[in-house]
Amino acid sequence: MVKNRTVDWALAEYMAFGSLLKEGIHIRLSGQDVERGTFSHRHHVLHDQNVDKRTCIPMNHLWPNQAPYTVCNSSLSEYGVLGFELGFAMASPNALVLWEAQFGDFHNTAQCIIDQFICPGQAKWVRQNGIVLLLPHGMEGMGPEHSSARPERFLQMCNDDPDVFPKLDDFDVRQLYDCNWIVVNCSTPANFFHVLRRQILLPFRKPLIIFTPKSLLRHPEARSSFDDMLPGTHFLRVIPDGGPAAQSPEQVKRVLFCTGKVYYDLTRERKARQMEADVAITRVEQLSPFPFDLLQREAQKYPAAELVWCQEEHKNQGYYDYVKPRLRTTINRAKPVWYAGREPAAAPATGNKKTHLTELQRLLDTAFNLDAFKDLA
């Protein structure tokens, strides 16, 4: 990868951490299996196979006079561990403190820390906190447990108004300053690199919720170029379509807005159907604060297009209920915002792989059937 000047998720994380350590910023990462990574992608601690308990953390030996890197596995006591890390981040505002759940839904047993301290902490006690939650999320056909990090819960607790287009100077930074926490779902390693660095380099502190990938860790298309991480580059709140649709926007019939892993399913299906010129795909990387300004630009770019929110989660879960009213506000309610995704359900995912694939194909059919919403308009 280095020879090709590309990075995957694990290398992007390593480069974000390494660059911050060089700048003197202490990094602390804890959670279940974080030293190795739940999906065996990280390997930040090396173990001597011949000498018991002899270990090495290579990231502590990158630069002379660098800051320390602390990485430690924790017990399956999310309530206690997340509470401790929250306190550590409060006491050390100049350190990047991250807690990673083994799977996204493991934050369930730390819900009281999230609901009572992380979400409303600044509103209650006028104390900022920059803790980062890494929550592996994605419908992979592996059953209802460990599929969903429950993004709908975090988005429901965001303090922005869905019916008001903010009138702000320095829009993106001011939004960050006014929000109670930041929620992102990155689709590229470079954006993951940038959001980690931005978190500690901001002149203020806000909790950061990152829905992290599982299958994308090794997806051949989920790669970024070094060029996307050079000085002068930054975190992209929205990634517009860069293909044929963007070259002739007046000809585009539909814009699919999405976030996270489903983007790769959509691009594969669009290519198979040869609809690159008919359907644009816009990625919303930062969900909260909502990028009203950039999505307004996207909607105006495609004047004749239908607007569709596409997600792999069920309709009563995921992002749809959060995104729809804000996207409608963005376009001054001039058009409907249609939905392509799984139907409402009580469980986060099916326990049957065949059903999972059937549901996925159904949502892809809806996303690319240009007549899907004709009778509903």
Side-chain angles (χ1 to χ4, degrees):
M1 284 193 301
V2 173
K3 183 184 293 186
N4 296 328
R5 292 177 55 81
T6 60
V7 298
D8 63 3
W9 230 269
L11 185 54
E13 179 186 72
Y14 206 101
M15 292 173 74
F17 287 177
S19 61
L20 290 172
L21 293 171
K22 185 180 182 181
E23 295 171 34
I25 295 170
H26 174 210
I27 298 173
R28 175 182 173 83
L29 172 65
S30 80
Q32 298 113 11
D33 276 338
V34 294
E35 296 177 6
R36 179 200 69 188
T38 296
F39 309 100
S40 299
H41 64 286
R42 185 174 283 128
H43 299 295
H44 282 189
V45 179
L46 304 181
H47 295 259
D48 191 324
Q49 296 298 299
N50 298 312
V51 181
D52 187 37
K53 297 184 179 179
R54 184 182 182 186
T55 62
C56 174
I57 302 176
M59 213 181 296
N60 275 325
H61 306 280
L62 295 176
W63 320 97
N65 303 316
Q66 69 169 70
Y69 175 51
T70 305
V71 54
C72 48
N73 292 336
S74 70
S75 66
L76 282 168
S77 177
E78 293 82 6
Y79 169 47
V81 175
L82 183 56
F84 178 86
E85 300 302 339
L86 178 68
F88 196 105
M90 186 75 74
S92 304
N94 294 319
L96 181 62
V97 180
L98 309 97
W99 175 76
E100 181 175 70
Q102 191 160 30
F103 291 90
D105 54 359
F106 280 33
H107 74 72
N108 279 342
T109 52
Q111 199 69 46
C112 55
I113 297 294
I114 294 168
D115 289 356
Q116 295 179 250
F117 295 91
I118 298 178
C119 169
Q122 185 175 351
K124 284 182 176 180
W125 302 297
V126 202
R127 290 288 303 275
Q128 294 186 348
N129 194 297
I131 192 167
V132 180
L133 273 59
L134 303 175
L135 305 176
H137 170 83
M139 308 294 114
E140 312 281 4
M142 303 305 289
E145 314 308 330
H146 309 345
S147 287
S148 177
R150 293 293 190 177
E152 63 276 5
R153 292 184 183 173
F154 293 94
L155 294 173
Q156 186 265 332
M157 291 190 283
C158 295
N159 67 349
D160 61 335
D161 190 331
D163 302 319
V164 177
F165 194 115
K167 304 298 182 186
L168 301 172
D169 296 324
D170 200 9
F171 194 96
D172 52 342
V173 176
R174 184 70 201 191
Q175 266 197 313
L176 292 174
Y177 185 79
D178 291 342
C179 75
N180 62 316
W181 58 16
I182 305 163
V183 181
V184 304
N185 188 355
C186 301
S187 64
T188 70
N191 237 16
F192 183 53
F193 165 88
H194 284 301
V195 81
L196 289 174
R197 286 182 49 81
R198 184 186 75 169
Q199 176 66 4
I200 196 64
L201 296 176
L202 284 170
F204 49 84
R205 296 288 171 261
K206 299 286 178 174
L208 172 62
I209 315 300
I210 307 180
F211 301 118
T212 54
K214 294 178 285 185
S215 63
L216 287 194
L217 294 171
R218 293 178 175 84
H219 196 294
E221 294 178 26
R223 299 285 187 271
S224 293
S225 167
F226 282 1
D227 296 337
D228 299 327
M229 303 160 66
L230 294 175
T233 59
H234 58 88
F235 175 71
L236 301 175
R237 293 177 292 146
V238 170
I239 302 180
D241 196 307
Q247 309 309 316
S248 302
E250 67 283 349
Q251 304 297 324
V252 171
K253 299 179 176 66
R254 177 173 293 176
V255 181
L256 297 176
F257 296 96
C258 66
T259 188
K261 177 179 78 72
V262 74
Y263 167 76
Y264 294 94
D265 297 318
L266 292 171
T267 53
R268 185 189 69 243
E269 187 73 11
R270 181 176 65 173
K271 183 177 181 181
R273 294 175 183 242
Q274 299 182 339
M275 298 180 71
E276 287 96 334
D278 297 319
V279 179
I281 303 175
T282 297
R283 287 172 272 178
V284 183
E285 303 280 293
Q286 178 178 291
L287 293 143
S288 182
F290 193 71
F292 289 95
D293 54 333
L294 299 182
L295 291 181
Q296 182 183 60
R297 196 178 305 165
E298 283 296 291
Q300 291 172 346
K301 186 194 301 183
Y302 305 102
E306 290 182 319
L307 306 182
V308 180
W309 175 259
C310 187
Q311 64 179 37
E312 59 178 359
E313 296 82 4
H314 291 280
K315 191 174 185 179
N316 59 324
Q317 301 167 31
Y319 321 91
Y320 179 61
D321 285 340
Y322 173 85
V323 168
K324 181 180 178 179
R326 289 165 177 81
L327 199 50
R328 291 266 292 156
T329 296
T330 299
I331 59 173
N332 202 23
R333 299 169 185 82
K335 295 180 181 179
V337 175
W338 302 111
Y339 170 79
R342 287 179 166 88
E343 297 176 354
T350 178
N352 182 284
K353 185 62 178 281
K354 183 177 179 181
T355 304
H356 164 79
L357 294 174
T358 300
E359 291 174 346
L360 175 59
Q361 190 56 53
R362 188 182 299 140
L363 76 86
L364 293 173
D365 289 342
T366 301
F368 291 100
N369 176 6
L370 297 179
D371 294 324
F373 308 111
K374 183 174 290 186
D375 296 332
L376 302 175

